[in-house]
Each structure stands twice: as structure tokens, then as C-alpha cells.
Amino acid sequence: MAQKVSVVLEDDLTGGPAEQTIRFAFDGTDYEIDLNAKNAAKFSKQLAPYVEHARRAGRARSHRPGRAANRQRSGDIRAWAKEHGLAVSERGRIPASVVEQYNAAGGH
């Protein structure tokens, strides 16, 4: 069975039909607004002086530790586990119970 899905945009300011979705960010938060042609033009006109003097920003970088740090930690946990007679494979995920024991023993 075939289905046909229609997406109808409604202007978020006036409630009538909208022609486009505008994405923007302000103060660290991303937004989207659906606007008709007239409201989209007003929006662009209002922002134009600011955009003209602004610079493009790159994507924010993740603050997660890198793979090298994770590998080092995994190696430390595996070595600790072997010293304490716990069976841990050379590769793959380290069991949570072993990680918990390592942390409880003062591992970082």
C-alpha cells in the first residue's frame, strides 16, 4: 500500500501559509521558524546589518576524551586486572564489574 505524506508549513508569526523554514542560532541556541515570503524578507532585512559585520563560526568541538586517552585507560585497567587475578581479554570491552573494582581500588 502506498502512502502520501504532505507537510504544510504554517507561518509561526501570522498563522497563515508559510513558504520556508529559516534556521538560525542566537546566544548558543539553535532555532527554526516557518515564515511566509513577506515575513522571511522582513526577518532577513532586520538581521542584515548584523550578518554583514559578523563572522562565520565553526562547529563546536566535542569535549570528550580522545581515543588515545581511552586506550591508555583501558590498558591500565587490563594491567591492574591481571595483577589482581581477574580474567580480562586483550581486546574488546572490559566488563563493567572489572572497571568498578578498578575505580574502587583507586584507579583513575
Side-chain angles (χ1 to χ4, degrees):
M1 169 168 45
Q3 292 183 349
K4 184 176 181 179
V5 177
S6 297
V7 176
V8 179
L9 297 179
E10 184 175 302
D11 189 295
D12 291 321
L13 293 179
T14 62
E19 282 82 30
Q20 62 183 307
T21 300
I22 297 176
R23 296 189 67 194
F24 63 100
F26 179 72
D27 208 14
T29 303
D30 295 328
Y31 297 93
E32 288 186 347
I33 189 167
D34 299 325
L35 298 172
N36 63 33
K38 181 179 174 184
N39 287 334
K42 285 200 282 190
F43 181 84
S44 294
K45 186 176 180 179
Q46 290 289 318
L47 286 181
Y50 301 99
V51 171
E52 182 180 327
H53 292 88
R55 62 188 166 278
R56 287 183 178 251
R59 295 221 176 242
R61 293 185 182 214
S62 173
H63 295 294
R64 295 183 299 166
R67 282 188 165 186
N70 290 338
R71 284 189 185 132
Q72 179 63 48
R73 178 168 158 69
S74 295
D76 293 346
I77 294 171
R78 288 180 206 286
W80 176 88
K82 287 179 185 177
E83 289 173 11
H84 290 84
L86 300 171
V88 178
S89 67
E90 292 295 322
R91 297 178 59 179
R93 175 172 270 177
I94 299 170
S97 61
V98 173
V99 175
E100 288 171 7
Q101 290 175 57
Y102 173 78
N103 290 336
H108 300 289

